[in-house]
Amino acid sequence: MRVLQVSAEIFPLLKTGGLADIAGALPQALAGVGCNVRALLPGFPAIGQVLQASRVVGEFRTPWGESVAVRLGQLAGVSGGAGPLSAYMLDAPGLFDRPGNPYEDAARRPYADNHRRFAALGWAAAHLAYGLDSDWTPQLVHCHDWHSALAPACLKLWPRPTPAAVPSLYTVHNLAYHGVFDASVFGELGLPPAAFAVDGLEFHGQVSFMKAGLYYADHISTVSPTYAREIQTPEQGCGLDGLLRARWDQLTGILNAVDEAVWDPAKDAHISHRYRPERLAGKALCKAALQGHSGLDQQADAPLFAMVSRITEQKGLPLLLAGVEEIVARGGQLLVLGSGDADLEQALQQQCQRHPGRVAVHLGYDEALAHRIFAGSDITLVPSLFEPCGLTQMYGLKYGSLPLVRGVGGLADTVTDADLATLEDQTATGFVFGPFTDAAYQHALRRAFALYRRPAAWARVRQTGMRQPLGWARAAQAYRALYQRMVAH
Ligand code: ADP
């Protein structure tokens, strides 16, 4: 099965969130179940710098008249199975050769030509599907998030007769980020006028790339079964729940997984001491090292709560901030690594100043420190308002840092709350709370403290969590089965 994977990010080359982790891990996992995956990526500097032995396979003209070359090469540092991943890249410096964040300028404003940049990505996918590279044509195009969501529309509305339509799968990693543009850009997208309609990509008078993906893809998937249900409700549908309900029988939730080549405390080169479920001595040493590095009191028996996250409301920062006193008053410590909303970042820093030795904050993005935090902490906090899948709770499980999560989306699908029944049958893996309220969150904190004071029970829950099967094999099989159904259709 030949699959073209289209995304704007790919780990470890370019990452702003979980999408990159998935795009980086899926090709190798799919190779393991017999798929032949190639990536299609924008020519961001981080991609162009490592695309090796590349050659131009063809050129196409964008709807606004620019000629774009598509290169094929090997992506150093990203595994495609037997060797580095084969990737097509849009060689369009005018669109993509910009430093820093791939979507925003230095002042954090979205680039004014983002519609062109990601329309080019969508058209490139359709050109490849319909023969731009005569040596390799995909049987299916798998697109991720709004940046690649025009591809299903381009494939469906391709202006010339095609030998056989190539189906597309569109995976939603976060329905909250739509890629919405003013109606005036529609004329530059190269789509027939009829597409700018309710039955198309029009969304409240604007152009929505997300809606293009949801409307034109042959099948939609999202990253957990619970989120697949939640996005069909008005509360979590971001205005698209009606369309998602109408397509319920072409909507599948496939739970994300952990790339165990990157996230495994027994092999992790980022952490000071490696450990495994049956030999945990290294974890205590990682905790001491983390406390020392972060300016926290070096106290082995203080439960260390941690969060590695974008600093946004979605990630539950209001709950986290309101719960700081609860953690400190009970003798715990809090460590946050993240970046995002300036006001929330400032509020975190104030908490840090108020509680020296008990609260520490690292603002910024630091992949190595993230590993050290999961290894050194006792509890991983993910009190999200909504969460399509969430990865950090799974990293917490693998590293023996018990996840404390709100029971939404993929968090509900991956963490089993510690109550008397699940403690007894040894299925508990963490703490799950319901309402998005300070009271519910802080009650969960208190339950974590209570369990921490029972070391034998804590150790059992940690063992169960660390032994969860979180690798990609199961998800890869689910994707392959879905691809096969779509191609056979
Ligand atoms: P989302 O994609 O909504 O941001 P996920 O939990 O799915 O959330 O994925 C977030 C990913 O980004 C995880 O791999 C997490 O470890 C990583 N991450 C988030 N913030 C930081 C940071 N400041 N430094 C390092 N890694 C981070």
Side-chain angles (χ1 to χ4, degrees):
M1 167 85 65
R2 296 182 306 279
V3 178
L4 182 68
Q5 171 183 286
V6 193
S7 66
E9 304 180 22
I10 192 159
F11 181 86
L13 307 178
L14 184 63
K15 166 169 163 174
T16 69
L19 157 70
D21 288 347
I22 308 316
L26 198 51
Q28 182 181 12
L30 286 167
V33 293
C35 296
N36 170 359
V37 181
R38 291 187 178 183
L40 169 64
L41 294 152
F44 294 125
I47 308 296
Q49 280 154 15
V50 299
L51 192 73
Q52 293 175 342
S54 75
R55 62 184 170 86
V56 172
V57 294
E59 286 190 16
F60 70 94
R61 191 160 285 277
T62 63
W64 57 94
E66 196 173 337
S67 183
V68 172
V70 177
R71 288 186 163 274
L72 171 65
Q74 310 287 308
L75 266 191
V78 184
S79 174
L85 179 63
S86 296
Y88 297 98
M89 185 192 85
L90 273 71
D91 192 353
L95 293 174
F96 300 115
D97 192 6
R98 301 173 194 176
N101 184 293
Y103 316 118
E104 300 169 350
D105 63 18
R108 286 187 166 176
R109 280 184 310 249
Y111 286 117
D113 59 351
N114 270 350
H115 63 285
R116 284 188 173 188
R117 302 169 85 213
F118 297 109
L121 186 64
W123 281 111
H127 279 279
L128 284 166
Y130 295 134
L132 189 74
D133 179 359
S134 52
D135 293 338
W136 192 90
T137 48
Q139 292 165 278
L140 182 139
V141 176
H142 185 173
C143 312
H144 297 268
D145 271 355
W146 75 261
H147 325 100
S148 60
L150 215 63
C154 301
L155 284 161
K156 269 276 153 64
L157 304 172
W158 185 251
R160 292 176 285 283
T162 54
V166 174
S168 61
L169 170 64
Y170 177 53
T171 298
V172 179
H173 293 262
N174 192 335
L175 193 65
Y177 297 94
H178 279 203
V180 167
F181 302 96
D182 191 82
S184 59
V185 311
F186 179 76
E188 293 192 85
L189 302 182
L191 297 170
F196 190 65
V198 173
D199 288 330
L201 51 67
E202 185 266 343
F203 183 67
H204 298 293
Q206 293 183 295
V207 166
S208 164
F209 275 43
M210 171 66 79
K211 190 169 170 222
L214 297 179
Y215 185 81
Y216 290 105
D218 295 278
H219 199 96
I220 304 162
S221 77
T222 188
V223 289
S224 70
T226 297
Y227 193 60
R229 288 192 296 277
E230 289 170 346
I231 58 177
Q232 297 178 53
T233 65
E235 296 75 40
Q236 293 224 40
C238 301
L240 291 164
D241 46 293
L243 173 55
L244 288 161
R245 280 196 300 280
R247 300 206 61 188
W248 67 272
D249 57 344
Q250 293 144 334
L251 168 60
T252 307
I254 299 177
L255 196 62
N256 277 341
V258 170
D259 187 344
E260 289 172 322
V262 178
W263 296 98
D264 179 355
K267 302 195 203 111
D268 193 329
H270 293 300
I271 64 181
S272 56
H273 299 82
R274 282 171 273 290
Y275 59 93
R276 49 184 74 246
E278 59 283 1
R279 283 237 323 268
L280 275 165
K283 181 157 177 74
L285 298 170
C286 287
K287 179 172 176 178
L290 181 64
Q291 287 171 322
H293 173 264
S294 306
L296 293 168
D297 298 339
Q298 291 221 346
Q299 196 185 333
D301 63 355
L304 174 48
F305 294 76
M307 174 185 261
V308 177
S309 179
R310 290 185 287 115
I311 302 299
T312 61
E313 284 213 33
Q314 181 214 326
K315 295 294 182 178
L317 264 293
L319 298 189
L320 182 104
L321 285 163
V324 171
E325 298 295 336
E326 184 74 38
I327 290 177
V328 173
R330 290 178 183 273
Q333 297 179 336
L334 174 65
L335 175 55
V336 179
L337 166 63
S339 65
D341 182 285
D343 291 341
L344 293 169
E345 285 186 355
Q346 201 187 356
L348 280 171
Q349 275 176 319
Q350 282 165 358
Q351 292 293 343
C352 192
Q353 282 151 10
R354 195 170 301 154
H355 303 289
R358 310 310 293 180
V359 177
V361 177
H362 297 276
L363 293 180
Y365 194 92
D366 188 334
E367 191 72 29
L369 180 57
H371 286 246
R372 298 209 296 273
I373 290 178
F374 295 114
S377 61
D378 297 299
I379 298 107
T380 297
L381 297 171
V382 200
S384 304
L385 181 60
F386 65 92
E387 194 60 75
C389 179
L391 290 170
T392 60
Q393 83 282 8
M394 293 199 268
Y395 301 153
L397 286 170
K398 274 218 78 82
Y399 283 69
S401 176
L402 274 53
L404 187 156
V405 306
R406 179 153 179 262
V408 286
L411 301 172
D413 294 334
T414 49
V415 183
T416 303
D417 186 43
D419 62 20
L420 286 177
T422 58
L423 286 170
E424 186 164 282
D425 65 18
Q426 301 200 11
T427 54
T429 57
F431 309 94
V432 184
F433 67 97
F436 191 74
T437 60
D438 290 339
Y441 168 66
Q442 290 177 27
H443 186 72
L445 290 178
R446 281 164 47 204
R447 294 198 292 124
F449 276 102
L451 193 70
Y452 193 78
R453 283 195 298 272
R454 292 162 176 76
W458 185 273
R460 269 200 304 278
V461 175
R462 187 165 58 185
Q463 285 290 326
T464 308
M466 291 183 78
R467 292 176 195 276
Q468 292 295 301
L470 296 172
W472 269 101
R474 204 169 32 187
Q477 275 160 9
Y479 278 114
R480 188 191 53 181
L482 179 56
Y483 295 162
Q484 282 170 337
R485 284 206 306 278
M486 290 176 64
V487 168
H489 203 64

